[in-house]
Amino acid sequence: MDFDLTEEQKLLQQTIREFAAVEIAPGAAERDESCAFPHELIPKLAALKLLGIAIPEEYGGAGLGAMEVAIILEEIARIDGATALIVASHNSLCTMHLYRFGNEAQRQKYVVPLAKGEKLGAWALTEPGSGSDAAAMQTRATLEGDHWVINGSKLFITQGSVAGVYVIMASTDPGKGAEGISAFVVERGTPGLVVGKVEKKLGVRASDTAALHFDQLKIPKENLIGTLHHGFQDVIQILDGGRIGIGGLSVGLARAALEDSIKYAKEREQFGRPIGDFQSIQWKLSDMATEIDAARLLVYRAALLKDAGEEHKQAASEAKLFASEVAMRATTEAIQIHGGSGYLKDYPVERYFRDAKLCEIGEGTSEIQRRVIAKTLLQ
């Protein structure tokens, strides 16, 4: 494998780095503090086609691959984890699900405005009683004549209160468990689709997370996405790709922690010299840098395999598992290097620390990633 970026990828990386510094960095701390969704950034993200990264150009996207998604998310997360999560979830979950498994009419009606950033997407899988055990969902969809009627609830839905298009997973044959789940597309404003509590979170606080309730939600028969009862198998494929993006996001947060720590270690003096002169600090920085480079290579490997059309389930889980835990370790060490200052909101390392924790939970916990890896090995 050749891990060197192409000239086009290097230009993309630099473009996003500059965009994030100029457009996303201002106000990032304030948005985090007030839990304010960055509505003002959506048109700017759309202008760079960052809301349709991997969607072909004929559907309004940029036509790029998983490698470019990882590069973009690292650069955005280096500045703001919440904005990176918005980009990741919109692209990898809702929009990609509709593009990969929707029919041509659904692509034209929903994927095009999503990829152009005219609407935001939400992907509704998790429920109050089913997180990691997604196949145990209780939301039901019943076919009545030429309409589906959906009843149930979802929890922890990213973009839940701000989306214009929702992909909703529901059981269409409860007796079959995972083999009886289907996916549906629902537009905002459809009677019976009720936005519930908007969550107050530890981190990525400017990213919207809300509960959804379905009360006799009636949608046309043609809103079924893909094959009836095949939704769970489609979900697994979507998550495999999405985990690569979360890996890239994790690397960005970890890199932010390292770069800020290097700067602080050069400036902060104790005992008459910069703390970066002390071996205890040097070792922390060395370990952080080594693990971050290793995490990035795992993410790149998974992305290259996906772009080559090769099996990437284990690689994606390894990348997501390692990168997310590296992000948590790096941000923890960053606070330690900053000492008392790291515990204050005057320095962004405390925000990186709070944002990083989600990476070990979202799109499959670390425990689920280990289960996926072990299952693949034992097969």
Side-chain angles (χ1 to χ4, degrees), residues 34-314:
S34 62
C35 301
F37 186 85
H39 291 283
E40 71 282 0
L41 290 179
I42 301 305
K44 297 176 182 180
L45 294 168
L48 288 181
K49 296 195 173 183
L50 296 181
L51 297 178
I53 304 170
I55 301 300
E57 294 181 13
E58 59 263 35
Y59 295 104
L64 302 176
M67 187 69 168
E68 286 77 16
V69 171
I71 291 168
I72 288 168
L73 290 176
E74 177 182 338
E75 293 303 324
I76 296 176
R78 166 61 185 91
I79 299 300
D80 181 22
T83 302
L85 182 60
I86 294 167
V87 173
S89 61
H90 173 88
N91 276 280
S92 300
L93 300 179
C94 178
T95 306
M96 185 54 65
H97 194 131
L98 278 161
Y99 171 70
R100 287 195 61 185
F101 303 112
N103 56 40
E104 185 59 26
Q106 290 170 339
R107 288 180 176 183
Q108 293 294 337
K109 184 174 182 178
Y110 302 111
V111 173
V112 171
L114 287 167
K116 290 182 176 181
E118 296 169 357
K119 294 182 179 180
L120 285 172
W123 195 73
L125 176 66
T126 302
E127 297 186 359
S130 62
S132 297
D133 184 13
M137 68 176 62
Q138 295 299 304
T139 296
R140 303 285 186 254
T142 305
L143 185 60
E144 298 182 2
D146 58 354
H147 285 78
W148 289 98
V149 178
I150 302 177
N151 287 283
S153 296
K154 297 291 181 179
L155 194 65
F156 306 147
I157 307 306
T158 306
Q159 275 95 253
S161 77
V162 296
V165 176
Y166 298 80
V167 171
I168 297 169
M169 269 54 71
S171 176
T172 44
D173 192 340
K176 292 184 178 180
E179 302 300 321
I181 291 173
S182 303
F184 302 89
V185 58
V186 179
E187 295 182 67
R188 183 182 187 87
T190 303
L193 173 60
V194 180
V195 175
K197 177 185 177 184
V198 177
E199 303 293 349
K200 296 181 179 179
K201 301 171 295 185
L202 171 71
V204 288
R205 287 156 55 91
S207 166
D208 177 80
T209 303
L212 298 174
H213 305 293
F214 316 123
D215 182 11
Q216 291 295 111
L217 172 60
K218 187 177 181 181
I219 56 174
K221 186 176 180 179
E222 57 266 26
N223 281 32
L224 172 71
I225 304 172
T227 305
L228 183 65
H229 306 325
H230 202 269
F232 190 74
Q233 291 84 345
D234 297 344
V235 161
I236 295 303
Q237 293 186 51
I238 290 299
L239 286 173
D240 286 342
R243 286 164 181 163
I244 301 172
I246 297 299
L249 191 158
S250 300
V251 172
L253 287 170
R255 197 182 103 215
L258 173 62
E259 292 176 357
D260 282 22
S261 295
I262 293 171
K263 182 175 183 291
Y264 188 81
K266 289 179 178 180
E267 297 173 349
R268 173 66 169 168
E269 292 191 359
Q270 289 288 275
F271 307 103
R273 51 182 172 152
I275 62 172
D277 287 353
F278 297 107
Q279 188 180 68
S280 60
I281 300 298
Q282 293 175 354
W283 283 15
K284 289 181 185 296
L285 296 173
S286 298
D287 288 347
M288 291 163 70
T290 301
E291 287 199 326
I292 291 167
D293 281 348
R296 184 182 293 108
L297 289 173
L298 280 173
V299 171
Y300 282 4
R301 181 188 67 160
L304 287 172
L305 286 171
K306 185 176 187 299
D307 287 339
E310 298 184 25
E311 174 57 46
H312 58 278
K313 178 184 291 292
Q314 180 177 337

Side-chain angles (χ1 to χ4, degrees), residues 290-344:
T290 301
E291 287 199 326
I292 291 167
D293 281 348
R296 184 182 293 108
L297 289 173
L298 280 173
V299 171
Y300 282 4
R301 181 188 67 160
L304 287 172
L305 286 171
K306 185 176 187 299
D307 287 339
E310 298 184 25
E311 174 57 46
H312 58 278
K313 178 184 291 292
Q314 180 177 337
S317 284
E318 288 177 355
K320 197 268 188 186
L321 169 65
F322 189 72
S324 64
E325 295 193 347
V326 164
M328 200 68 246
R329 287 194 291 271
T331 55
T332 300
E333 289 287 40
I335 291 178
Q336 195 70 17
I337 290 169
H338 282 71
S341 296
Y343 206 69
L344 305 178

